[in-house]
Structures are given as C-alpha cells and as structure tokens.
Amino acid sequence: MSCHLCHVSMYESHFIQDIIKRVQNKLHCTTLYVPPYLVGIDFTVASINWWLGDGSNKVGIATICGIGGIGKTTIAKVVYNLNIQRFESSSFLANVREITQEHNGLIRLQRQLLSDILKGKANKIYNSNDGITKIKEVISRRRVLFVLDDVDDSEKITKIIGVQIPFHPGSKIIITSRQQCLLSDPFIRQMFDLEASSSYQDLCKVFEVKELTFNESLQLFKWYAFRQNDPIDSYMEYARSIVKHCGGLPLALQVLGSSLAGKSINVWKSALEKLKIIPDSKIQKILKISYDYLQDDHDKSLFLDIACVFVGKDKDYTTTIPDGCDYYTVIGIENLINMSLLVVNEKNMLMMHQMIRDIGRNIIRQESPNLGKQSRLWHKDAFDALRKKIGTQTIKCLTMDLQRLLEEKYEKTIANHSKNPFLMSNEVDIEIDAFAKMQRLKLLQLDYVKLKGNYKDFLRSLIWLCWHGFPQEYLPTNLDISKLVVLEMCNSSLKCIWHDTKYFLPNLKILNLNHSDGLLKILNLSGLHSLERLMLKHCTKLIEVDQSIGKIKTLTILNLKGCKSLKKLPWTISLLDSLEELILSGCSTFEDVPKDLQKMKSLRVLSLDETAIYESNSWLSWLSLKRSKELGFFWTSLPCSLVKLSLESCRLFDDVMPTNLSYLPSLKSLNLSRNPIHSLPKSIICLTKLDELLLTCCNELQWLPKLPTSGLPMITSPSLYRITSLSCLLNLKRCIVFGCEKLIEVEGVFKLEPIENF
C-alpha cells in the first residue's frame, strides 16, 4: 500500500505533532520521539489508524515494510503515539535485529515488554522460556498494542513472545521489516494456533512504504538543509540535483540535508559531484544491511548483476539471461524483492532504488583498486579497462554505451549522427585483443562500439551479447557465439544477420534485431533449436523471413511490428506449434498470411493493425458477401486458442464481417477500432469470455447487438446522445466506443437519442 498518494501540505508535521501532544497530556504518559518535521506519511498513518481503530475485537498483526531508510520506524512511532490510548497496555521494542544479536539481548527485550505492559512492575526473568511464559500470562488479561521494530527473521518474534499465544480480544501487533513476506502462512497459524482449515487473511495486513515524490523530497530536504521552505535561490539548482539523486529516500534526504546545512555553495557543488560517484557512508551502512542479510552468495551475485546491468529491463527477459549463468533467477528475484532491494513495476520491469543500485556498484568497486581485477565493469570504467587492455579473468560482466559516453564527454547530443554515431570521434575503435584475458566474461554490452582485429579468439563463453549499433552488414564468420542465450543487436547495420549458411546457436533463446533499418532478409534459422523470441520490430526494409522458421518448435513470440516492406510470411509459419504471439501491426504492405492458422494450437495473440490484408486479393478481401464461399474461411481458420485479436485500421466493411464467431471461444480482447463498419454480428454474444471490446473512431458505427457480460462497465462516447433505456449494465472490463458519432443503440442495454429531442 502506497503511503504517498495524498497531497502533502506544509502543516502535516505540525498537525501530527499537535495530536501527539494532546494525547500525551490527556494520558500523562511518555510518547516516543519522532522527528520534528514529517512529510508524506499521513496517508499510511491514517490507513494504519483505521486498521487499529476498526472497533472490532479481532486480534491482528501488521507489517510495515520497505527498504532501509524509507521511514518505517518513524511511521510506526507516530502510529504508536496516536493509538496508545486505545489499549490497556502498550510496548515499543526498538532495534530488534540488533539487540537480539547482543549478549542476553533476547531477555532484555522480553524484560522491556513485560515492564511496559505492567507499567514498570515486571518480575525478574531467568531465561527466555521463562520470559515467554510470563509474557503469555500478562497479554492474555489485557488488550495490548506492541510494536516490534526492525525484524529480519520471523523466528525472532516467536523467540520473544512464543507460539500459540492467547491474545486478549482486540490486541494488535505491528512489525517493521525490510521483508514483505516476513509473516508466512505456517508462521501465522503457529503463532495464533489456527486450524489448518481456518483463514488467517483477516488477521494480517501489509503496509508497504514507498519513496517520497519529488516535491515531498524537496520539501523535506529544504527543512534539514535550510530549516525553512524558502532557501536562497542560488542553492536551488544543487538542491534539486541532490534531491533527484536521493530518489525519495527520507534517510538520504535527512543525512545529506543536515550535512550541508550552513555550508558554502562550493561545498554543495563538491558534495554533489562526490555523491554521483560514492554513496554517502552513513546511508550506505544502513542500506547495505539488506544486502548483507541475503541468504547466500547466489542471491548476492544476482543482486550485483542486476545493479550493474538489468535495472529497467523486462523481468522475463532478464530471467532468461542469468539462468544461462547458472543462477536460480526466479527464486533469486523473489528473495531480492522480499528484502526490498528490488521492485517489479506495473510494466514488469525490474526497478531498483538509485541508492540501492549505488550500494551494489560500490561493493564491486571495493573488490580491487585495479579496474581489471573487479568482477563487473560498466560505463567509463569499462571503456578505460578496454583502452588500457588491463582486463583479467576476474571480469564476469562488462557494459558500455559509447554513444552515451561521447554525449557526456562533449556535453552535447549526437542526434545528427544517430545513424552512424562513430562519426563523432576516432577514439571509438577498440582492439579485440583487449578481451584476450577475459576468459570468464559472460555478460557483454558494447553499444555503438567498433572492434578492430580478428574475431577468431574472441570471447567464447558469452551468455549475453548486447551490441546496439553493430556496425557490420553480417556477423563475422569466425565469431564463435555458440553459447549465447541472448543476442541483442538493435539499431544495427546488418543487412542479413548471417550468410545463407546454417549458424548453429543451440542455446539461443532471444534474438532481438529491432530497428535494424538495413536488414533485408532473415535466412537459415534451422540452427536455433532453443529460440523462444524473435524480435524484428521496425526493420523497415525486411522483405523475407526464411521458410526454416518453421523448424523452430520452441518459438513463442514473433514480433514484426512496423516491417513496412514485408508482404508475406512463409507457409511454414503454421508449423510453429508453440507460437503464442504473432505481431504484424504496422506492416503496411503485408497482404498474405498462411491459411493454416488453425494448426497453431498455442496462438493467443494475433495483431494485424494497419496491414493491407483487406486490400489483398488473397485474404480478407475474400470476406465479402459476394464471395460467400470464401467469406468464412479466414475467421473459421483462426485457432480456437486465440485470446486477443487486433484488426485496427484494416479498412473492414460490414460485408467482410463473419456471421458466426462461436469458433473463438477463448477470445478475451477484440480490437476493431478505426474501421468503417456499421454494426457487429449478433454472434458476438457467443464470446462469453470477452472482457475488452475496442471500437474507437468507428465513424460509421450505428448499432451494436447484445454484448456478452463479463467484466466492468462500458465507456460511452461523448455526450452527443442521451441514454434513455438501461435494461441492464454492460460488464465488459473495457468497451470503448469513443468517436463513434453515429452510434445510437446497443441492443438490450441502451438507446441513444439526440439531446435536441428532449
């Protein structure tokens, strides 16, 4: 749950502090210290307050989770201060992780818990088992609130308070942790002594603390750096840059703001430059705890690879690459997420807080003062190591984007040289023998780099090769990349990836040649026995895909979006039993698709937007009433496994629409936008799984038949008409009919009439 969804006002901190003081005065009790200036926590505080004060007698346990320094403890203290009046007794156990590692730390925590609950009247504890017995006795008699702060292991909870705890009705526990999944099903059942059939979902809550927004961050930073909201204008440029670097982490903003308070502008400038290279030591120490507590070297190594290479990459794509490096990537990524070191966003991208990423990179820098003896090199360090030829077998990963390096060096873009960025400088050539000693190198990125020399002994252990802007028209014949799992050569100068000979790459799973404008043909693919994704987006001159593609039985995704010169696919495409997605959107001259699509039993997504299929004499042009024998052929030849079909801007008319759609029982999404159709076939009601119907800008659309009901309400067109009948409500998740100005009726749902009739 996000804690920063509401607008932050300058009075938020004062408001919270005022409430805390009133509670303290009323109860004559000592509250916990919280920072004097609080920003961006009110939504989370309100959410937890609501959970604590729901008025029920249910016992509950909640986790406040997030990365180190995000403000979990501060939120827990504020909530504790605001709610102690609701409970008969309360206790806040701080720094559980650290204290349990100390001598007699466990007993000290038990003693504090008893003392707090009994108002200072705790008896002596002889050992931890004795402490658990006494704790169970006292919490069974009163409604309690207690907080366990900074817990890194659920076993520490049971060591403090035991299992099968007889909580008094209405008691609540709050735990702060870096782990989202700290409280597992077995742990909860053991702790509360639940039957196997009992549900524990009502007992548990998770409140995830997110980073501050930029404005919230700037507000907090200004408080610590200037003690005011209106600092000197000359400092603001540096203040904004520092805030941006902190990435919404309150601890970083507090530490850096406090360290720069009262300093000259030259000190600020120097601090910013240093911060770009070396993370602040105080922040680093706190954030590194999550890394140190990773279970094994496997997860630590995966973390370092992601921090150096894969931040911002698709999760599924990334999973494929480390799997080739003998990582157990899926469980490893889950462990990193659980430790709040990694996030998978709504677009399935791997995201890492900038300061967490910097921690990983700093760990690598500390491996050796010699660049050539560090395990991973990136950006300028990678460039320097190659130019100086100091690489060793220690290096496992090297990434470099020469175009970006040149931009930074010359402090200007090279947009005018985007097709040939090598025109910028003669310094871009790298000798191939610079890689001679890097025999353990598995991950290599050489974007916009030209190599000079013989490829005969070039790296043979590579798992991932990313070479955007590859400058040659063919792959060198003596380049041994037989172990590759991923080959990515976007924006390349390739005309044909290899000559018309069999190129044996038995482990290759992803081949990405997107935006290779000069690519003409894809020849002989029969040696790619493991290929799962073939990405050829916007290869605008591509005219041929070889028939051998039909031999790749593992292929699941074929993306040819924007290949404007491609007119057809080989008939062997229908032999791809595992193909799940076929994307041909924007192939403006594409007019001929093999007719045996029904053989593709795994095909789930077919996208033909903006193609010329209707203008062809071979396919959808058949779908006219005058050619009735061929009318149903295309539609009936579609595989019943199809889940998403997109035919936007294909110039479809009513006479090419099918009368029967029942042979698409799995269809969930249908896009017919920007077509001159007047209506849809009545058989659309047979698509019982349909939850998305897109009819945007169908300017001739006048009438819709009764639609299937399986989702959320319809989104209607602009208010040119008025709904006069609502016999039922559409339940499609998305039924978009914007721009359909002639639409007047949806059968069985509503009828639209001009406003002037009323």
Side-chain angles (χ1 to χ4, degrees):
M1 181 178 294
S2 173
C3 69
H4 308 299
L5 298 181
C6 62
H7 176 69
V8 178
S9 76
M10 62 181 294
Y11 301 107
E12 177 186 340
S13 175
H14 300 296
F15 177 71
I16 293 174
Q17 295 284 3
D18 183 57
I19 293 177
I20 291 173
K21 288 180 180 178
R22 293 186 182 184
V23 171
Q24 181 178 356
N25 291 336
K26 184 176 180 180
L27 298 178
H28 304 289
C29 63
T30 301
T31 55
L32 303 173
Y33 170 80
V34 293
Y37 197 75
L38 304 173
V39 175
I41 69 168
D42 49 348
F43 183 84
T44 302
V45 169
S47 300
I48 302 174
N49 282 344
W50 182 87
W51 172 72
L52 288 171
D54 61 1
S56 72
N57 285 325
K58 293 181 179 179
V59 175
I61 183 168
T63 305
I64 303 174
C65 62
I67 62 175
I70 199 67
K72 303 182 295 294
T73 298
T74 297
I75 291 173
K77 287 181 177 180
V78 170
V79 168
Y80 180 84
N81 288 343
L82 292 174
N83 288 277
I84 51 179
Q85 80 280 8
R86 292 177 172 173
F87 298 85
E88 297 175 65
S89 297
S90 59
S91 178
F92 190 104
L93 301 183
N95 303 316
V96 170
R97 175 181 55 82
E98 289 186 15
I99 294 176
T100 52
Q101 294 173 350
E102 299 173 0
H103 179 65
N104 286 331
L106 187 61
I107 294 177
R108 282 164 46 205
L109 289 172
Q110 291 177 323
R111 188 180 298 124
Q112 180 189 337
L113 180 58
L114 283 170
S115 177
D116 291 341
I117 293 175
L118 297 173
K119 314 295 184 184
K121 302 176 182 178
N123 296 323
K124 186 175 181 179
I125 297 176
Y126 296 98
N127 53 56
S128 60
N129 290 333
D130 182 43
I132 289 173
T133 301
K134 291 178 178 177
I135 288 172
K136 285 185 176 182
E137 182 181 354
V138 298
I139 64 177
S140 66
R141 300 176 182 175
R142 47 182 63 78
R143 189 169 181 263
V144 299
L145 165 67
F146 56 87
V147 179
L148 303 177
D149 174 54
D150 192 17
V151 178
D152 62 329
D153 188 342
S154 59
E155 288 187 5
K156 292 183 179 178
I157 301 174
T158 57
K159 287 180 179 179
I160 295 172
I161 59 178
V163 296
Q164 301 181 4
I165 306 168
F167 284 106
H168 191 278
S171 294
K172 305 286 186 182
I173 307 170
I174 296 175
I175 296 166
T176 72
S177 178
R178 298 166 190 244
Q179 301 184 41
Q180 296 180 16
C181 304
L182 181 74
L183 306 180
S184 64
D185 183 344
F187 170 78
I188 293 297
R189 294 189 185 282
Q190 182 186 43
M191 184 175 182
F192 292 96
D193 195 20
L194 296 177
E195 298 291 336
S197 59
S198 301
S199 172
Y200 71 93
Q201 297 298 331
D202 293 339
L203 289 172
C204 301
K205 279 284 186 181
V206 176
F207 299 93
E208 184 178 357
V209 185
K210 299 292 188 180
E211 294 86 353
L212 299 177
T213 66
F214 180 81
N215 288 336
E216 291 169 341
S217 299
L218 188 60
Q219 186 178 346
L220 185 62
F221 179 79
K222 287 190 294 186
W223 169 261
Y224 284 102
F226 307 108
R227 294 297 189 267
Q228 58 180 334
N229 280 323
D230 299 312
I232 303 171
D233 290 342
S234 58
Y235 283 82
M236 282 307 297
E237 179 183 352
Y238 298 105
R240 290 180 179 276
S241 296
I242 291 172
V243 166
K244 184 177 180 180
H245 182 82
C246 291
L249 192 67
L251 174 68
L253 295 162
Q254 178 183 346
V255 171
L256 292 173
S258 298
S259 66
L260 292 172
K263 300 295 194 301
S264 69
I265 198 166
N266 288 331
V267 173
W268 279 58
K269 183 177 180 180
S270 176
L272 179 59
E273 293 300 321
K274 178 183 176 183
L275 195 60
K276 291 178 180 179
I277 302 174
I278 305 173
D280 185 276
S281 59
K282 294 180 181 177
I283 303 167
Q284 181 183 12
K285 182 178 179 181
I286 295 173
L287 295 181
K288 191 172 177 289
I289 292 171
S290 293
Y291 171 82
D292 292 336
Y293 274 84
L294 288 173
Q295 296 178 359
D296 50 42
D297 291 340
H298 165 274
D299 288 352
K300 290 181 178 180
S301 187
L302 178 61
F303 166 76
L304 295 178
D305 279 347
I306 293 175
C308 292
V309 185
F310 300 118
V311 174
K313 301 285 188 181
D314 179 78
K315 177 187 174 184
D316 297 332
Y317 169 88
T318 304
T319 300
T320 303
I321 300 167
D323 276 350
C325 298
D326 300 322
Y327 288 141
Y328 300 98
T329 315
V330 174
I331 186 63
I333 287 177
E334 289 301 316
N335 290 339
L336 296 181
I337 293 173
N338 189 37
M339 293 298 293
S340 299
L341 292 169
L342 190 66
V343 173
V344 179
N345 69 9
E346 66 282 356
K347 296 181 179 180
N348 203 41
M349 300 293 185
L350 296 179
M351 305 304 295
M352 187 177 288
H353 192 284
Q354 182 174 338
M355 302 199 78
I356 294 288
R357 184 203 65 187
D358 291 346
I359 293 300
R361 294 185 171 187
N362 199 47
I363 289 171
I364 294 166
R365 287 192 179 101
Q366 292 175 357
E367 291 175 348
S368 172
N370 184 341
L371 289 177
K373 294 184 179 180
Q374 294 175 11
S375 62
R376 298 160 181 87
L377 295 176
W378 60 94
H379 204 41
K380 189 176 183 300
D381 287 350
F383 180 75
D384 290 342
L386 291 176
R387 290 303 302 272
K388 297 175 183 178
K389 299 183 180 180
I390 58 174
T392 68
Q393 63 178 2
T394 304
I395 300 174
K396 298 188 293 185
C397 166
L398 186 147
T399 68
M400 179 174 62
D401 182 343
L402 189 58
Q403 186 168 325
R404 182 178 154 208
L405 273 171
L406 292 174
E407 288 176 359
E408 294 178 359
K409 179 176 180 179
Y410 294 101
E411 298 181 346
K412 60 181 180 180
T413 64
I414 53 175
N416 294 333
H417 304 281
S418 58
K419 292 187 178 180
N420 191 359
F422 311 111
L423 296 177
M424 275 296 296
S425 171
N426 292 323
E427 299 176 350
V428 296
D429 286 355
I430 299 293
E431 301 270 350
I432 289 181
D433 61 6
F435 296 93
K437 296 180 180 179
M438 303 183 196
Q439 298 306 312
R440 296 176 61 200
L441 188 64
K442 292 190 175 184
L443 307 177
L444 177 61
Q445 178 181 359
L446 291 173
D447 290 354
Y448 304 100
V449 172
K450 283 198 302 185
L451 293 185
K452 185 169 59 176
N454 193 322
Y455 285 89
K456 180 180 179 182
D457 297 319
F458 189 66
L459 305 162
R460 299 182 179 182
S461 58
L462 289 178
I463 298 298
W464 175 64
L465 176 58
C466 178
W467 201 337
H468 292 186
F470 180 73
Q472 300 183 38
E473 295 182 353
Y474 300 91
L475 287 180
T477 55
N478 57 349
L479 176 63
D480 185 355
I481 49 175
S482 58
K483 293 185 178 180
L484 274 185
V485 174
V486 176
L487 177 58
E488 186 174 335
M489 288 185 164
C490 302
N491 298 298
S492 73
S493 298
L494 289 168
K495 287 188 176 180
C496 188
I497 187 168
W498 43 70
H499 294 281
D500 192 12
T501 56
K502 187 173 181 179
Y503 217 94
F504 191 60
L505 300 174
N507 301 316
L508 193 69
K509 293 185 177 182
I510 299 176
L511 177 58
N512 185 350
L513 304 176
N514 290 342
H515 299 277
S516 294
D517 294 338
L519 191 67
L520 298 174
K521 298 180 180 181
I522 296 292
L523 299 177
N524 209 325
L525 300 169
S526 57
L528 311 183
H529 296 165
S530 302
L531 193 67
E532 297 175 358
R533 300 188 193 185
L534 179 56
M535 315 298 290
L536 299 167
K537 289 197 306 182
H538 299 289
C539 295
T540 54
K541 295 182 181 179
L542 183 70
I543 59 173
E544 181 182 348
V545 176
D546 193 69
Q547 290 190 7
S548 59
I549 193 172
K551 296 181 180 180
I552 310 176
K553 300 303 182 181
T554 55
L555 194 65
T556 59
I557 297 175
L558 176 57
N559 194 331
L560 293 154
K561 180 179 180 180
C563 294
K564 297 180 179 180
S565 302
L566 187 67
K567 294 185 178 181
K568 63 180 182 178
L569 289 174
W571 68 270
T572 54
I573 198 78
S574 60
L575 301 178
L576 298 176
D577 299 335
S578 299
L579 193 68
E580 297 178 3
E581 295 185 21
L582 177 57
I583 311 298
L584 291 157
S585 302
C587 297
S588 54
T589 62
F590 186 81
E591 58 184 21
D592 188 9
V593 172
K595 304 177 181 64
D596 293 330
L597 294 175
Q598 74 275 12
K599 294 181 179 180
M600 304 170 70
K601 302 300 183 181
S602 299
L603 191 65
R604 295 171 54 83
V605 177
L606 177 60
S607 183
L608 295 160
D609 303 337
E610 301 177 23
T611 55
I613 50 177
Y614 176 60
E615 297 176 354
S616 161
N617 292 323
S618 60
W619 199 31
L620 276 187
S621 59
W622 300 346
L623 305 180
S624 68
L625 294 175
K626 295 178 181 179
R627 289 160 286 200
S628 57
K629 289 184 179 180
E630 296 154 331
L631 171 65
F633 179 77
F634 161 68
W635 299 93
T636 56
S637 69
L638 293 175
C640 61
S641 59
L642 209 61
V643 172
K644 182 175 182 179
L645 175 62
S646 189
L647 296 167
E648 180 174 339
S649 299
C650 287
R651 290 173 287 282
L652 303 179
F653 289 87
D654 292 343
D655 59 357
V656 302
M657 297 301 294
T659 56
N660 187 3
L661 289 170
S662 61
Y663 33 76
L664 296 174
S666 302
L667 200 65
K668 293 184 178 181
S669 174
L670 177 61
N671 184 3
L672 297 171
S673 297
R674 293 179 171 82
N675 283 299
I677 53 177
H678 291 78
S679 64
L680 293 181
K682 289 188 176 183
S683 60
I684 195 170
I685 197 170
C686 299
L687 304 180
T688 56
K689 295 184 178 181
L690 192 71
D691 57 24
E692 180 179 68
L693 176 61
L694 306 181
L695 298 166
T696 303
C697 296
C698 291
N699 296 328
E700 301 300 319
L701 188 65
Q702 298 177 10
W703 177 81
L704 291 179
K706 190 173 182 180
L707 300 176
T709 56
S710 59
L712 294 174
M714 177 178 181
I715 303 174
T716 58
S717 54
S719 57
L720 297 172
Y721 301 93
R722 175 179 174 183
I723 298 175
T724 60
S725 174
L726 275 175
S727 58
C728 65
L729 183 65
L730 275 177
N731 286 324
L732 294 173
K733 286 184 177 179
R734 286 211 300 168
C735 179
I736 300 181
V737 291
F738 285 124
C740 303
E741 298 180 355
K742 296 183 180 180
L743 180 65
I744 60 173
E745 183 178 356
V746 178
E747 183 181 353
V749 180
F750 58 74
K751 184 176 182 180
L752 304 175
E753 296 182 7
I755 292 177
E756 54 264 25
N757 290 352
F758 293 86

